[in-house]
Amino acid sequence: MKMTKKPCAVFLINDENGTMLCTDGLWRRHVTFGNVTGCLKTWLKPGFAKLAARKLGLRQWTIKLAYDGDIINHDGTITKG
């Protein structure tokens, strides 16, 4: 049986303007992290991010996956750890 690695964080990027969805429902180019209002909105499964993109009416989007040890920068780039 093949074990697949599960992502620790899944987040959504609007491809039309390069912004990321935050917990307060706003889209930002540079995000913060933690438990404060307005930090990056994350999910545990890509399906939830896809559902959110469809509900928000996005035409083009990217779903990024971060795994244990990866670093997510303020602009949404992921550095593999």
Side-chain angles (χ1 to χ4, degrees), residues 3-25:
M3 298 293 290
T4 58
K5 218 174 163 186
K6 292 184 180 181
C8 294
V10 176
F11 60 99
L12 182 62
I13 297 177
N14 182 350
D15 288 344
E16 292 182 8
N17 56 15
T19 56
M20 295 166 279
L21 183 61
C22 294
T23 57
D24 58 1

Side-chain angles (χ1 to χ4, degrees), residues 1-2 18 20 25 28-29 31 35 41-42 48 50-51 54 56-57 59 66 70 72 77-78 81:
M1 183 165 130
K2 183 178 179 182
M20 295 166 279
R28 294 185 172 88
R29 289 188 192 281
V31 295
N35 293 328
K41 171 72 176 163
T42 60
F48 293 122
K50 186 176 182 180
L51 181 64
R54 289 183 174 164
L56 292 166
R59 286 184 246 162
D70 291 352
I72 305 171
T77 58
I78 298 174

Side-chain angles (χ1 to χ4, degrees), residues 14-77:
N14 182 350
D15 288 344
E16 292 182 8
N17 56 15
T19 56
M20 295 166 279
L21 183 61
C22 294
T23 57
D24 58 1
L26 298 176
W27 295 88
R28 294 185 172 88
R29 289 188 192 281
H30 300 283
V31 295
T32 57
F33 299 93
N35 293 328
V36 296
T37 302
C39 63
L40 182 65
K41 171 72 176 163
T42 60
W43 295 270
L44 293 177
K45 296 183 179 181
F48 293 122
K50 186 176 182 180
L51 181 64
R54 289 183 174 164
K55 282 185 177 182
L56 292 166
L58 297 181
R59 286 184 246 162
Q60 295 181 341
W61 67 84
T62 301
I63 296 173
K64 291 208 172 180
L65 308 170
Y67 296 93
D68 191 28
D70 291 352
I71 299 169
I72 305 171
N73 294 328
H74 65 92
D75 60 354
T77 58

